Amino acid sequence: YLRKIPQQAKLLALGLSLVMAGALGNLIDRVRLGYVIDFLHVHYGNAWHFPIFNIADVAINIGVVLILIDAFLLESKRNTL
C-alpha cells in the first residue's frame, strides 16, 4: 500500500512507515523474547503513574495520528488537484 499512495501524500507515507516500524519492533521482541519489553515509565513520585510503554508503541500512536490527519484534512485537498 505504501508504494501505491500518491507521491505528494508525504504525511500519509510517514504515518504508515511509523506504524509499520513500531509493529515490526514489537514483533521482533515477541518472536525473539516471547514478550514485548516496555521500558518507559512516566510518573510523578508515587502519586501518579502513566501506563508503561516503549518506543515502538509511541511510533505506532504517532503514525495513527498522522494517518488520521491525512485522511480527514489532506486527502480531500489532494483529490481535488
Side-chain angles (χ1 to χ4, degrees):
Y1 180 70
L2 191 57
R3 288 180 167 182
K4 295 182 180 187
I5 61 173
Q7 192 172 14
Q8 65 268 23
K10 298 197 185 304
L11 196 64
L12 177 59
L14 178 61
L16 289 171
S17 298
L18 284 170
V19 169
M20 209 170 10
L24 185 61
N26 281 338
L27 178 67
I28 289 170
D29 271 358
R30 179 75 58 188
V31 169
R32 190 179 61 131
L33 304 171
Y35 56 93
V36 175
I37 297 175
D38 290 331
F39 56 88
L40 296 174
H41 184 194
V42 180
H43 62 92
Y44 179 73
N46 284 330
W48 178 80
H49 294 271
F50 193 78
I52 300 172
F53 57 96
N54 63 23
I55 299 297
D57 298 336
V58 173
I60 292 169
N61 284 298
I62 291 173
V64 168
V65 168
L66 294 178
I67 292 168
L68 290 172
I69 289 170
D70 181 81
F72 289 113
L73 301 177
L74 303 176
E75 186 175 16
S76 60
K77 292 177 185 175
R78 194 169 45 246
N79 289 338
T80 58
L81 296 176

